[in-house]
Amino acid sequence: MKLLYALALLSLNVQAGSELVLQLDSSLRYESNPFFLSKNVDAGNVEEIGVRGDDRVLANDVRFLATHALDSPETRLVFEGQLGQRDYARLERLNHQPHAYRAGLEWRQGPLWSGAVFHSQDKKMFDYQDGFLTTRELVHRTQDQLTVSLNVTPDFAIPVTVTEKRVTYDTVNNAFNESKDHSVDAGVTWRSGTTSKLGSGLRLNNVRFTNRTSEQIANLDEQYRDQELYLDADWQYSVKTRLGGRVAALRREYASLSNLNFSATTASLAIDHAYSPKTNVGFEAWSRPSGSVNVAARYSTVRGAQLALRWQATAKTRLSMQVAVESERFQTLRTARPLPSPVEDRIRVGASVVVALSRDLSFYVDGFAQELSRGDLGAGSAQQTLSAGLEYTFENVTGLAERSGLGARR
């Protein structure tokens, strides 16, 4: 399969009108708590099975983007992805090869019609956040997406997007969360001459869990349907400041267990401000509902905020820092025994420094520390990581890596 990816990439690059970004990244990472174990996990047991303690990880990645214009710059083939290798010094059973790719066609037919069709797949390590899973778990995701847009005017469009998703896991621990979902998103979008955008629409999503036992179905159901009415805005307030936001009303209905149904509001805000030519400040805040796998809770509400600073200290050195806080409150079932103080709090602090050794080669050091406090729900967890690495970027069009998002460290 990897050989097919490489051949497809080369076939695009040798043709006129193609654009290519190729990035090589190698780093050594320290992890204080790879499984994000909670503080009340039995020390003797975890020592016996060899999961407690820190570890070192050698990470290697190849990231790429290739595009090839067909009859116009707005009609093009796109192929992007990542191949990786993770080698743990002590927990060798965690060694794995994450990968992701996205391939498809973006098109425009005259002034009225445009759209895209994409297929994507990815495999990556499970996000260990509950402190109890101590085996290697990989998450596999597949997605097919089709978008068609009627462009009534250059500034006003009516897009419709249909998406099919599939999620599977390697072990039986998360088999009950394996799912297939189908969604349709229809709306209207208006763009101004100042690159601001306003959109509104309706998203319908049907999710079916494909691997639940009869007991799990009796407690959690096996299917639900979302109906979400939303409003999106992206406003270029000034030359230095850009604002973005989303508000949505969500209604979730389960196939059999009506006592799990709920309605909630989703809201998010993003502010990006160029304080000076060398300093950028970003702020995000969010409040969103999340489905629950706890039989005593219908759903949870996650609220949080993040502040990010980025400073170009010199022509070759850039510093950045992020601080995020998040709180998750569980909404219990009326018929269930109430959860004691059903709130989890999380704080995460991260920082990085990037030094450009040359136009194409950068050295970086980054890390973060996060802590989860669960109150009466149980003992919390903590984790710290620190990475140092080299990143080489090749692009056949100047500035392409930055525009495509692969130049974040440059």
Side-chain angles (χ1 to χ4, degrees):
M1 183 63 72
K2 295 179 183 178
L3 179 60
L4 294 178
Y5 298 161
L7 291 175
L9 182 64
L10 291 173
S11 67
L12 288 176
N13 188 45
V14 297
Q15 301 183 52
S18 295
E19 297 177 331
L20 174 67
V21 179
L22 181 64
Q23 195 170 79
L24 308 177
D25 189 335
S26 183
S27 67
L28 183 63
R29 183 171 73 242
Y30 163 82
E31 295 184 2
S32 68
N33 186 4
F35 287 103
F36 205 58
L37 295 173
S38 60
K39 298 172 184 178
N40 66 351
V41 173
D42 181 73
N45 182 49
V46 296
E47 288 291 352
E48 182 180 342
I49 60 178
V51 297
R52 182 178 289 280
D54 56 8
D55 207 346
R56 299 183 309 278
V57 187
L58 179 62
N60 292 293
D61 289 287
V62 178
R63 294 182 283 269
F64 52 86
L65 167 69
T67 70
H68 178 67
L70 298 177
D71 60 341
S72 73
E74 294 178 300
T75 299
R76 61 177 192 164
L77 297 171
V78 179
F79 183 58
E80 58 185 331
Q82 173 181 345
L83 301 174
Q85 177 71 44
R86 303 290 183 270
D87 293 316
Y88 285 73
R90 186 174 61 87
L91 298 170
E92 294 184 355
R93 64 180 178 277
L94 287 181
N95 294 350
H96 64 286
Q97 296 178 324
H99 73 259
Y101 76 87
R102 177 174 173 264
L105 171 70
E106 297 173 347
W107 59 271
R108 173 174 285 274
Q109 183 64 43
L112 286 179
W113 298 98
S114 63
V117 56
F118 278 94
H119 172 77
S120 61
Q121 288 188 11
D122 71 79
K123 178 181 74 173
K124 64 180 182 179
M125 183 74 81
F126 175 73
D127 186 13
Y128 294 97
Q129 294 295 332
D130 58 11
F132 295 102
L133 185 59
T134 56
T135 59
R136 188 184 79 165
E137 178 70 287
L138 296 177
V139 187
H140 305 259
R141 294 183 176 88
T142 302
Q143 176 174 294
D144 294 291
Q145 188 172 80
L146 171 66
T147 299
V148 176
S149 178
L150 172 61
N151 306 302
V152 181
T153 72
D155 297 327
F156 182 74
I158 305 175
V160 177
T161 300
V162 179
T163 306
E164 296 275 357
K165 295 180 183 178
R166 175 75 185 268
V167 179
T168 60
Y169 298 85
D170 272 4
T171 74
V172 298
N173 298 289
N174 289 298
F176 72 100
N177 268 331
E178 294 187 348
S179 64
K180 288 183 178 180
D181 50 299
H182 171 83
S183 67
V184 178
D185 189 323
V188 294
T189 301
W190 173 79
R191 297 179 182 273
S192 76
T194 59
T195 69
S196 297
K197 183 176 72 171
L198 181 65
S200 180
L202 176 66
R203 185 183 69 92
L204 302 176
N205 188 34
N206 190 73
V207 178
R208 183 172 65 87
F209 297 96
T210 58
N211 205 11
R212 286 187 171 175
T213 65
S214 56
E215 181 180 359
Q216 290 167 344
I217 292 173
N219 290 322
L220 301 171
D221 215 328
E222 65 175 339
Q223 189 169 339
Y224 66 78
R225 182 175 183 270
D226 282 345
Q227 180 175 296
E228 185 180 43
L229 184 65
Y230 63 86
L231 176 67
D232 277 324
D234 190 13
W235 180 27
Q236 189 69 48
Y237 174 74
S238 69
V239 175
K240 292 185 175 182
T241 306
R242 191 174 190 89
L243 306 174
R246 175 185 171 92
V247 178
L250 173 69
R251 172 63 180 170
R252 177 168 295 181
E253 296 180 347
Y254 284 80
S256 302
L257 304 178
S258 59
N259 61 316
L260 297 178
N261 296 351
F262 68 87
S263 297
T265 301
T266 297
S268 63
L269 172 68
I271 303 174
D272 188 79
H273 176 66
Y275 179 77
S276 73
K278 292 186 176 182
T279 305
N280 193 83
V281 181
F283 175 78
E284 295 180 55
W286 57 89
S287 175
R288 55 176 178 261
S290 177
S292 176
V293 294
N294 189 316
V295 294
R298 290 189 299 160
Y299 69 101
S300 64
T301 301
V302 181
R303 294 188 174 94
Q306 175 175 286
L307 177 66
L309 303 175
R310 183 170 172 174
W311 177 42
Q312 191 71 43
T314 70
K316 293 187 175 182
T317 304
R318 186 175 71 248
L319 306 174
S320 63
M321 184 184 71
Q322 310 86 37
V323 178
V325 293
E326 195 171 61
S327 178
E328 183 172 11
R329 178 174 292 275
F330 296 90
Q331 305 297 323
T332 60
L333 289 167
R334 294 185 181 90
T335 57
R337 179 182 177 183
L339 293 170
S341 183
V343 180
E344 290 184 350
D345 296 307
R346 186 185 306 274
I347 183 169
R348 177 182 173 120
V349 179
S352 68
V353 57
V354 181
V355 179
L357 303 178
S358 69
R359 180 185 177 277
D360 302 318
L361 183 64
S362 297
F363 169 77
Y364 65 88
V365 176
D366 61 31
F368 71 85
Q370 65 175 334
E371 184 157 349
L372 174 67
S373 174
R374 307 183 70 210
D376 294 338
L377 296 176
S381 304
Q383 185 182 62
Q384 299 84 40
T385 73
L386 182 65
S387 301
L390 289 171
E391 183 180 83
Y392 170 80
T393 302
F394 166 82
E395 56 186 3
N396 69 345
V397 177
T398 302
L400 180 60
E402 190 73 30
R403 296 195 304 272
S404 64
L406 290 178
R409 296 193 194 276
R410 305 183 68 184

